[in-house]
Amino acid sequence: MIYKREIKIGGGHGGDGCVSFRREKYVPFGGPDGGDGGDGGSVIIIASPNVVDLGLMRRKKEFIAGNGRRGSSWRKHGKKGEDLAISVPVGTVVFTRVDSGEEVLLADLSTPRQKVLVAKGGRGGLGNARFATAVDQAPEIASKGESGEERHIVLEVKLITDTCIVGQPNSGKSTLLSAISKAKPEIADYPFTTRQPILGVIPDYRRDFIIAEIPGLVEGAHLGKGLGNEFLRHAERTRLLIYLLDGSSPTVLDDLSTLDKEIALYKGLAHKPKIVAVNKIDLPEVQARLPEVKQYFAKRGVPVFYISAVSGQAVLELVRKAKEMVDQASQDEEIASQAQITVFRPKPRK
Ligand SMILES: Nc1nc2c(ncn2[C@@H]2O[C@H](COP(=O)(O)OP(=O)(O)OP(=O)(O)O)[C@@H](O)[C@H]2O)c(=O)[nH]1
Ligand SMILES: [Mg+2]
């Protein structure tokens, strides 16, 4: 799946204006009647819930809208060029690359059907009918259509989820995701089975709960080790992180600090609400070490669950807590966004 792409886009060329004179029997000196060219089409980027990635841009790098048609005699306007709508996943951030090479934000398409016009079509030229004056009643000039805007656009998909499961490779993220949602990710006893973020939905009577798994993180992920941390961008817009630890790992407590460190090094994730889940407690060796692990967590004020993604033990409780924390986080967000709205009221007259 493709989550970042740079493309070139261009608005359509405007159609040229037409030079023509009315020639009709019994109408001498019919005058200029050349029509205007049609405007070029524009390029629009639109967020569609039916699109999952930027696969459309795998090979295609250039997107140009339709050209406007030429004007013609009888003052007929040329046809407008067709607009080009490019569908991208909801959660796509649109940047334009300026001459200095910098990426400048144009839009954040975070709601379905939200759209942004990224390149305007060129204006159509004027036909000679427009140039007639009292002095020059038979102008032989028309203007050319303008070129459409051209731009380099960078698209970056950042999934919008309620919860994101993060953890070391093999900790059981896919197993957990398939236990609580309808997603069917591949599960296997080797690291990096999951190489792409996977989305799952937990249906709820109020609203569906969207949960994602991102590929496993290892120490040094922020430097590009393992699959690197590029997938952490999908955790940027989640409301809650679930740290999934492999209870059977001999270094389970160190695993937690490694994970914490990698997450903290990624912008904007350090302060996200989180839950820790220690997985695979169905295994006897994990049971044996549980008192030590529990003692360790008792001191750290994070909610912790001891679960088995395979047997389902404590998984429902984990989901319930996750929903509760997500609700709380969205209420906090709402309060914060309301606080930002400034209301201007006229001052009363004295
Ligand atoms: N005993 C036991 N095994 C588990 C449990 N959860 C996962 N496993 C096993 O752990 C292995 C890895 O599971 P996955 O779900 O693929 O782990 P993952 O974190 O998605 O791994 P990557 O995608 O490779 O990062 C598989 O062999 C699972 O069967 C559990 O609760 N108990
Ligand atoms: Mg996996």
Side-chain angles (χ1 to χ4, degrees):
M1 289 203 190
I2 301 175
Y3 291 105
K4 189 162 182 179
R5 262 295 182 267
E6 179 154 353
I7 54 172
K8 197 177 157 196
I9 51 153
H13 211 287
D16 294 341
C18 163
V19 176
S20 149
F21 293 93
R22 196 168 155 202
R23 292 186 204 291
E24 240 178 304
K25 225 174 171 181
Y26 314 119
V27 187
F29 309 115
D33 73 348
D36 301 343
D39 294 341
S42 300
V43 182
I44 292 153
I45 298 182
I46 179 163
S48 161
N50 303 327
V51 178
V52 291
D53 74 344
L54 303 174
L56 171 71
M57 289 143 210
R58 192 183 303 278
R59 290 206 184 83
K60 200 167 147 101
K61 296 272 159 58
E62 261 194 40
F63 293 82
I64 311 286
N67 292 335
R69 296 284 188 80
R70 303 173 62 90
S72 52
S73 46
W74 292 92
R75 292 194 185 220
K76 267 195 254 163
H77 278 247
K79 201 169 168 222
K80 187 184 173 314
E82 272 200 46
D83 288 343
L84 178 69
I86 306 176
S87 296
V88 295
V90 177
T92 301
V93 190
V94 184
F95 301 90
T96 177
R97 191 177 291 292
V98 291
D99 291 343
S100 64
E102 245 178 290
E103 293 174 10
V104 178
L105 179 71
L106 281 184
D108 179 356
L109 304 178
S110 55
T111 50
R113 284 171 289 283
Q114 195 181 340
K115 55 187 170 187
V116 57
L117 191 153
V118 279
K120 268 184 107 166
R123 277 194 303 185
L126 301 179
N128 71 336
R130 302 269 200 158
F131 291 92
T133 59
V135 186
D136 183 3
Q137 295 190 350
E140 298 223 356
I141 48 166
S143 60
K144 284 202 167 301
E146 291 172 2
S147 325
E149 272 183 314
E150 278 187 3
R151 270 188 172 154
H152 288 272
I153 292 285
V154 179
L155 298 167
E156 193 174 350
V157 184
K158 294 180 180 183
L159 297 177
I160 299 174
T161 54
D162 291 303
T163 286
C164 203
I165 309 174
V166 292
Q168 267 86 6
N170 242 355
S171 56
K173 300 178 294 299
S174 301
T175 315
L176 177 62
L177 186 70
S178 60
I180 59 183
S181 76
K182 288 201 174 128
K184 294 272 167 286
E186 194 184 337
I187 295 169
D189 191 14
Y190 53 82
F192 303 116
T193 315
T194 306
R195 309 189 71 88
Q196 296 290 341
I198 299 179
L199 281 181
V201 178
I202 307 177
D204 194 308
Y205 69 96
R206 284 180 303 156
R207 69 171 184 90
D208 288 348
F209 192 78
I210 313 289
I211 184 158
E213 168 196 3
I214 60 169
L217 291 171
V218 293
E219 182 155 22
H222 69 283
L223 301 172
K225 286 224 179 113
L227 287 179
N229 70 349
E230 76 165 296
F231 297 112
L232 276 177
R233 80 164 77 111
H234 296 298
E236 267 178 54
R237 305 214 267 187
T238 195
R239 294 203 166 100
L240 171 76
L241 294 171
I242 295 181
Y243 281 16
L244 190 66
L245 298 176
D246 183 347
S248 68
S249 153
T251 53
V252 57
L253 299 179
D254 292 341
D255 292 351
L256 176 66
S257 26
T258 307
L259 203 57
D260 230 0
K261 210 165 68 196
E262 292 302 325
I263 299 267
L265 285 168
Y266 195 91
K267 58 179 190 275
L269 294 188
H271 303 295
K272 283 236 185 264
K274 63 176 173 249
I275 301 182
V276 174
V278 180
N279 191 25
K280 309 194 184 179
I281 60 159
D282 54 295
L283 298 173
E285 77 249 33
V286 180
Q287 281 291 343
R289 286 171 50 220
L290 222 44
E292 181 199 341
V293 178
K294 281 187 172 167
Q295 201 185 3
Y296 172 83
F297 278 114
K299 292 180 242 144
R300 304 183 45 130
V302 221
V304 190
F305 288 81
Y306 301 93
I307 67 164
S308 165
V310 164
S311 75
Q313 196 179 334
V315 163
L316 277 182
E317 288 83 339
L318 169 69
V319 172
R320 204 173 299 137
K321 180 71 180 173
K323 284 185 174 174
E324 195 186 296
M325 288 178 70
V326 165
D327 281 347
Q328 186 61 49
S330 47
Q331 275 173 25
D332 293 349
E333 264 172 42
E334 214 164 290
I335 292 170
S337 69
Q338 275 171 4
Q340 280 171 7
I341 301 172
T342 321
V343 181
F344 293 99
R345 294 186 202 286
K347 280 189 183 158
R349 283 196 195 148
K350 291 220 171 95

